[in-house]
Structure formats: C-alpha cells, structure tokens
Amino acid sequence: MNKERDIRAEIIADDIVNLTDALDNAHDLDDAWRRITQAIHYLSAKDTMLKTKRDMKDAKKEERD
C-alpha cells in the first residue's frame, strides 16, 4: 500500500510566504512572527517527544536482544 505524501507542511510554508508578502507594517509582521513562532515551538516539542519515545523503545529493544 502506497502512503500518500503529506503536503500540509508545504502548503503552510507557501502560506507563510504569501502572508509575509501581504503584510506591510511592523505591527502586523511582529504579530505574525509571534504566532508562527509559537506554532513552530509546539511542532518542535511534539517532534522531540516522538523522537525521544522512539529512542526509548529502541533502547529497550536492544536490552532484550
């Protein structure tokens, strides 16, 4: 079974570029930067959590082998 590639990150990246091009004042740019940065921090935290969970599972597997 072929799994389709998830293109949502690509769409979001394109949307960020389009948003950046559309914003024309420091206040709106600062607000967008703050909101997007918070979302990136959330994404990073979940990525770290899943990688750590995988690493712990792999370590337990190695202990059994």
Side-chain angles (χ1 to χ4, degrees):
M1 178 169 78
N2 261 350
K3 182 179 178 188
E4 285 190 37
R5 186 171 76 88
D6 190 335
I7 63 166
R8 291 178 290 180
E10 186 176 333
I11 293 168
I12 291 168
D14 288 343
D15 285 346
I16 290 171
V17 170
N18 292 332
L19 171 65
T20 302
D21 289 343
L23 297 176
D24 62 356
N25 67 70
H27 174 43
D28 290 344
L29 285 163
D30 183 59
D31 185 54
W33 174 251
R34 189 171 19 84
R35 291 171 186 262
I36 292 167
T37 300
Q38 288 172 344
I40 295 294
H41 283 240
Y42 178 73
L43 176 64
S44 177
K46 185 161 185 180
D47 178 61
T48 299
M49 179 187 69
L50 290 176
K51 286 177 181 173
T52 301
K53 187 176 183 179
R54 181 196 61 211
D55 292 347
M56 290 172 60
K57 184 178 178 182
D58 290 347
K60 285 183 181 182
K61 183 180 177 188
E62 286 180 13
E63 287 177 1
R64 289 183 296 218
D65 292 343

